[in-house]
Amino acid sequence: MPRLLAAPLTVHVLGASGRSGRAVCHALAAQGTRVVPLIRNPAKATGMDSPRIADLSGPTAPLRTALADATHIVCTAHARNIPALLAAAPPTAQLVCLGSTRRFTRWPDAHGNGVLLGERALLASGRKGVILHPTMIYGAQGENNVQRLAALLRYLPLSPLPDGGRALVQPIWQGDVTASILAALNIPWDGPHSLIIAGRDAVPYWQFTRMVAQAAGLRPRPTVRLPAWLLMPFAQVFAHVPGLPRIGKDEIRRLLENKNFDIGPMQATLGITPIGLPEGLRRTFTPQA
């Protein structure tokens, strides 16, 4: 395992107004690290201390100015923005970027292709740092993964799942994502790296839906096995029902592929052992004092 450095005095956080970005900013501030939040929309600066306005999709010069004094940069914005970050960040700055295991899907989409683009740019840059690829993130304030599933289950007497929900899913709790980012900041990376971060437990999707229902205080719904092609028209109908979450065709297809990963490299490199799914769901649905 690489030697750990002393905590950096200042960390610049891109995407600071997003769910993961805010969680990282709060965690860094709690440990006494100075945070420089960078956001695109000034209207989302509520609760932030001296945020800087920077648009990863805009001209390079303003972003370069906002990052001119950066030594450690966390980018929780979409990984498609990594080329713009590389063009603007100081050459000596250490980078910790957030990607996604969507890069491994058999059904590529704009999200997954953007992650691949960002990863390739970082690995080709020779810059020191890492791109962390989390599995499905849950447990953040305002997250829309397990909360969206729970909202859907409230309306359904059954859980219709392609292939009966036999494919594996391995969600990671937001607190473990945040801990992984902070751990990555303290590693003196030798060049660019890529690392998967995932939760402790990989379970079939049918079991995951029952665990979510139970954690949300709902009666577990019986699973009904349906072909993916039959579920897609229903998803389009649900999209027009007020109060029901939208589910896309690609999301239904991805329910057919296993999304389980070895967490050994995560534990060995970052020193992070993720919490179990039952505990993560309990924390997600139990109001914190």
Side-chain angles (χ1 to χ4, degrees):
M1 180 175 176
R3 177 178 60 86
L4 296 185
L5 298 174
L9 295 178
T10 303
V11 176
H12 290 60
V13 180
L14 283 154
S17 62
R19 290 185 287 269
S20 291
R22 284 190 179 274
V24 169
C25 289
H26 291 157
L28 287 169
Q31 70 177 23
T33 299
R34 178 173 175 259
V35 179
V36 178
L38 287 90
I39 59 175
R40 181 176 59 183
N41 185 355
K44 295 185 177 181
T46 305
M48 295 184 184
D49 184 17
S50 302
R52 298 180 185 179
I53 307 304
D55 187 353
L56 282 161
S57 62
T60 301
L63 182 59
R64 183 177 291 122
T65 299
L67 294 172
D69 56 342
T71 60
H72 293 74
I73 301 172
V74 171
C75 181
T76 61
H78 194 284
R80 73 171 68 93
N81 296 297
I82 290 177
L85 171 61
L86 293 169
T92 57
Q94 177 157 295
L95 310 177
V96 177
C97 302
L98 205 58
S100 169
T101 51
R102 183 81 67 85
R103 70 172 301 290
F104 299 105
T105 183
R106 289 180 289 161
W107 292 282
D109 59 3
H111 181 98
N113 289 336
V115 174
L116 277 170
L117 171 71
E119 179 186 53
R120 289 168 181 164
L122 178 64
L123 296 180
S125 72
R127 303 285 286 270
K128 59 182 180 180
V130 64
I131 179 169
L132 301 175
H133 293 299
T135 52
M136 177 200 299
I137 301 173
Y138 71 99
Q141 183 177 4
E143 64 91 2
N144 60 355
N145 289 315
V146 301
Q147 301 285 5
R148 186 173 60 153
L149 176 57
L152 183 60
L153 290 172
R154 287 188 175 91
Y155 285 88
L156 298 177
L158 304 169
S159 292
L161 294 171
D163 196 29
R166 294 191 299 173
L168 297 174
V169 63
Q170 192 175 352
I172 182 169
W173 181 57
Q174 177 66 67
D176 288 328
V177 175
T178 303
S180 296
I181 292 173
L182 267 59
L185 279 170
N186 282 324
I187 294 177
W189 300 98
D190 180 16
H193 296 261
S194 177
L195 184 65
I196 293 169
I197 58 174
R200 188 190 71 187
D201 303 321
V203 299
Y205 204 86
W206 68 264
Q207 183 179 350
F208 176 59
T209 61
R210 294 188 182 186
M211 294 173 72
V212 170
Q214 184 176 16
L218 304 174
R219 176 180 54 81
R221 278 36 174 174
T223 300
V224 177
R225 182 176 181 175
L226 293 176
W229 63 265
L230 185 59
L231 283 171
M232 290 177 186
F234 282 106
Q236 292 180 311
V237 173
F238 289 159
H240 299 287
V241 178
L244 282 182
R246 295 176 179 269
I247 300 176
K249 293 182 179 179
D250 289 339
E251 290 181 277
I252 293 175
R253 288 193 189 99
R254 285 194 295 273
L255 292 177
L256 292 168
E257 62 183 355
N258 287 322
K259 294 180 279 291
N260 59 304
F261 300 90
D262 179 13
I263 62 173
M266 167 190 178
Q267 293 173 301
T269 304
L270 302 177
I272 301 297
T273 298
I275 65 173
L277 185 54
E279 175 61 16
L281 290 174
R282 185 191 68 78
R283 298 185 189 186
T284 299
F285 287 99
T286 302
Q288 301 298 309

